């Protein structure tokens, strides 16, 4: 539960509010309390709730909420759980004694601190920039009572937070054994294998500062119970290595900070106190913890980033806190200077989208989106209206997310969402299961369309078997799709010349991946920023279509391309400085000109009908339960109707009068004064104007990026704006100042066309030998 200005949240998000994870709310705030399946129920005893809200004898807001066990089983106890001993009363009913004993636990083999895989900067880059389909591993290293009630059976105090477990169970050593059993059994290596098998490519791993071990508990509330965490950090490392084994990225999320960043139980304490931002000691302790995490993880291939805080209170000083922390972390190492750090928006997306937009480094905005909480109007909003608000590019909520994404160069993720709806939202539904499914898959499609990723809350709960709203394993195939791949499920092989090669490309040994922004120094002192001119050269070097595109870009007269009638592109919208371009064309009235060299063995025109058929055959191969990628749909609309790749490029370019004017006015001058350069560096008759150079490089880089990411576990580029910005920085001024907009625009066109080629390849593979 988050004590924030509800109206401000509603104003920010429109129809819905985005509060916190599902812990009981006082009736006056949200119309009741929430049961374990995500439905709002009544049963709050007003006296107890009032005392708890005011800090009375109830011991706190959450502890004061009482509800009937028939309406919620979130406090149920499993008598078969081996981690506690219960006593039977005279009438045969099971009751839990105040003094608890446990079944001693020792792991089958000691969990030792493992090394990480050798650092591979190229592989790390793909993990960090790709589109994320993610799941939270909640209540694994940060305990939440509603998710794991049995762990709180013999907890102390309010029995709501991690600290209560560590102080309970009769002794710190008992608590250690209870927690270690949970760490070893709650989620195992098989769970990572399962997630990879359904197309999840990233996990968000919430940890507390106590998870780093006893040293980092000193000077905090956990100091007296630090011995319970003597073996915790090796298990965090083990989790990251399990993920790497199955190709999963890991976002390490600091869910609980010293002093608490929000006063909520999921920050580790249940006293309701937020004592981080006003306490210099706690601020410094938090910076120390984040510095350690950065030192340990910045060169771990599959760590996609570190989240500085989870759901902090939206205090006035939060932006300056972020700035202070980032200033320290960027100095940890050369790799840390370009490492992704995630910042939660404190449920104020607009404020922190503005903040992200002021920074050029790799910082990511994390927004949490829950629809089950809110005022009476929000609770009563029908599910189909909520779903409509998520329609990509059209619904109100979708437009707000797109706005924030555009402002922050697409450095935004929705790293907590669920399928939960209020009872009122489905009260008039004729098909509750269908409406809930449409609502949940609508979220996924909207978030995929507008952002670089999403993460479902959460992977599992103790009541998972009956919980399709909050439990991923039960929701898959019910309220969630059956698979979550970036592309239709298929084996992506090395893409050579537009056809599948005989051997799969191994990202671990391939050297053609991007190299900007990171390096693999032989020692900490052996480091120099990369200055590679063509950091994607190897991918596509043997691709005839790619070669012909760049040749056409270099030699074609802009004014030789016939203009399309103005009426043919009523909805075109092309901005030189935009990171994304959207255009829809009616090509029925266009005169097409073949730009392929006549001597090539490649057909002079592309069979657009065959390409369209191939693309849609690939789409038809997708499990009907799989959410289609909105970018794939946009790619089809934009690209399939034109004749050839370079022709598609220049038919759009001819719409830009600036291009035509620049080409005409600069061509003669450039041919007199510019050195003719081939791609291999030797002199030739081909001359690039600065604008042509930016266009050619942008298009070819986007084209090859699509193929490079596809070759790595079915991935797609997600953080497009950051990727383009970092690529430009790595070019060492190879793009003339003022022409960056050309590069950006044409990168996005090349990326879209490259993805069409990947789809075509998938269709060819699906059809088999012809």
């Amino acid at each position: 539960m988050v004590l924030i200005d509800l109206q401000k949240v509603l104003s920010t998000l429109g129809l819905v509010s985005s509060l916190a994870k599902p812990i009981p709310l006082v009736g006056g705030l949200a119309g009741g309390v929430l049961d374990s399946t995500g439905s709002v129920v009544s049963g709050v005893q007003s006296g107890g709730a009032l005392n708890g809200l005011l800090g009375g004898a109830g011991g706190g807001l959450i502890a004061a909420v009482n509800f009937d066990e028939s309406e919620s089983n979130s406090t149920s106890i499993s008598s078969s759980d081996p981690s506690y001993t219960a006593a039977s009363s005279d009438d045969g009913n099971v009751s839990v004694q105040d003094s608890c004993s446990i079944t001693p636990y020792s792991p089958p083999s000691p969990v030792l601190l493992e090394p990480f895989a050798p650092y591979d900067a190229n592989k790390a880059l793909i993990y960090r920039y790709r589109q994320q389909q993610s799941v939270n591993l909640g209540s694994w290293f940060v305990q939440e009572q509603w998710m794991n009630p049995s762990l709180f059976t013999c907890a102390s105090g309010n029995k709501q937070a991690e600290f209560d477990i560590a102080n309970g169970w009769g002794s710190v050593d008992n608590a250690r054994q209870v927690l270690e059993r949970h760490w070893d059994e709650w989620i195992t290596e098989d769970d990572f294998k399962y997630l990879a098998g359904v197309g999840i490519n990233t996990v968000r791993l919430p940890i507390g500062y106590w998870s780093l071990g006893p040293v980092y508990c000193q000077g905090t509330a956990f100091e007296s119970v630090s011995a319970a965490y003597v073996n915790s950090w090796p298990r965090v490392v083990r989790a990251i290595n399990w993920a790497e084994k199955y190709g999963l990225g890991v976002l390490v999320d600091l869910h609980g900070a010293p002093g608490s960043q929000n006063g909520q139980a999921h920050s580790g304490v249940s006293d309701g106190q937020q004592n981080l931002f006003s306490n210099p000691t706690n601020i410094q302790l938090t910076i120390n913890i984040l510095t350690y995490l950065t030192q340990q993880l910045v060169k771990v291939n599959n760590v996609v980033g570190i989240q500085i805080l989870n759901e902090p209170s939206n205090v006035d000083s939060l932006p300056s806190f972020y700035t202070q922390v980032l200033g320290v972390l960027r100095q940890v190492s050369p790799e840390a200077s370009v490492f992704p750090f995630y910042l939660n928006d404190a449920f104020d997306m607009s404020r922190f989208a503005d903040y992200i937009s002021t920074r050029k480094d790799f910082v990511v905005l994390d927004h949490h989106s829950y629809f089950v909480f809110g005022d009476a109007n929000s609770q009563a909003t029908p599910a189909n209206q909520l779903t409509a608000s998520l329609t990509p590019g059209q619904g109100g909520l979708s437009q707000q997310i797109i706005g924030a994404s555009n402002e922050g160069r697409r450095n935004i993720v929705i790293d907590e969402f669920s399928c939960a709806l209020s009872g009122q939202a489905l009260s008039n539904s004729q098909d509750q299961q269908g409406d809930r499914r449409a609502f949940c898959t609508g979220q996924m499609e909207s978030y995929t369309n507008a952002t670089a990723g999403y993460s479902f809350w959460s992977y599992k709960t103790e009541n998972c078997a009956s919980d399709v709203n909050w439990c991923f394993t039960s929701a898959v195939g019910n309220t969630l799709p059956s698979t979550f791949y970036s592309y239709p499920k298929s084996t992506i092989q090395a893409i050579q010349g537009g056809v599948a090669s005989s051997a799969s490309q191994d990202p671990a040994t391939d050297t053609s991946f991007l190299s900007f922004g990171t390096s693999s120094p032989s020692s900490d002192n052996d480091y120099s920023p990369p200055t590679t001119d063509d950091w994607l050269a190897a991918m596509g070097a043997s691709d005839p279509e790619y070669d012909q595109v760049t040749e056409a870009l270099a030699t074609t007269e802009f004014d030789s391309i016939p203009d399309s009638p103005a009426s043919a592109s009523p909805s075109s919208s092309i901005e030189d400085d935009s990171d994304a371009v959207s255009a829809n064309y009616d090509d029925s009235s266009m005169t097409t000109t073949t730009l392929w060299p006549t001597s090539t063995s490649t057909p002079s025109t592309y069979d657009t009908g065959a390409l369209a058929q191939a693309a849609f055959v690939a789409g038809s191969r997708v499990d009907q339960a799989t959410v289609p990628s909105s970018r794939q749909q946009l790619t089809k609309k934009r690209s399939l109707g034109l004749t050839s790749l370079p022709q598609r490029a220049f038919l759009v370019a001819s719409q830009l009068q600036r291009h035509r004017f620049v080409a005409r006015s600069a061509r003669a001058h450039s041919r007199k004064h510019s050195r003719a350069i081939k791609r291999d560096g030797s002199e030739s008759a081909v001359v690039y104007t600065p604008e042509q150079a930016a266009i050619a490089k942008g298009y070819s880089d986007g084209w090859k990026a699509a193929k490079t990411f596809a070759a790595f576990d079915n991935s797609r580029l997600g953080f497009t704006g950051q990727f383009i910005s970092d690529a430009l920085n790595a070019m060492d001024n190879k793009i003339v100042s003022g022409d960056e907009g050309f590069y950006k625009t044409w990168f996005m066109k090349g990326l879209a066309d490259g993805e069409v080629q990947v789809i075509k390849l998938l269709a060819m593979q699906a059809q088999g030998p012809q």
Side-chain angles (χ1 to χ4, degrees), residues 94-118:
V94 176
S95 63
V96 180
Q97 297 174 324
D98 290 337
S99 177
C100 296
S101 60
I102 68 164
T103 301
Y105 176 73
S106 294
S109 59
V111 180
L112 304 177
L113 185 62
E114 305 170 347
F116 292 116

Side-chain angles (χ1 to χ4, degrees), residues 251-303:
L251 173 61
V252 178
D253 156 42
L254 186 58
H255 222 67
S260 177
Q261 72 275 17
N262 54 28
Q264 305 305 312
H266 53 74
S267 71
V269 294
S270 59
D271 59 6
Q273 300 296 310
Q274 183 277 101
N275 290 316
L276 171 58
F277 301 108
S278 60
N279 187 313
T281 298
N282 286 334
I283 289 175
Q284 188 57 56
L285 288 170
T286 300
I287 292 175
N288 293 345
I289 288 155
L290 290 165
T291 299
Y292 177 80
L293 288 174
T294 302
Q295 291 170 337
Q296 296 298 308
L297 303 177
V298 71
K299 293 174 67 173
V300 178
N301 297 327
N302 67 315
V303 172

Side-chain angles (χ1 to χ4, degrees), residues 11-85:
S11 175
T12 301
L13 297 181
L15 288 173
V16 299
S17 67
S18 211
L19 292 181
K21 292 182 278 292
I23 45 184
L25 299 175
V26 172
L29 182 61
V33 298
L34 193 69
D35 71 12
S36 61
T37 63
S39 299
V40 176
V41 299
S42 60
V44 178
Q45 298 180 1
S46 59
L50 181 60
N51 288 336
L53 182 61
L54 298 178
L61 181 61
I62 299 172
V65 178
N66 301 306
F67 47 97
D68 183 55
E69 290 184 0
S70 64
E71 294 179 315
S72 173
N73 58 1
S74 64
T75 57
S76 64
I77 300 167
S78 172
S79 60
S80 63
D81 192 306
S83 60
Y84 75 96
T85 300

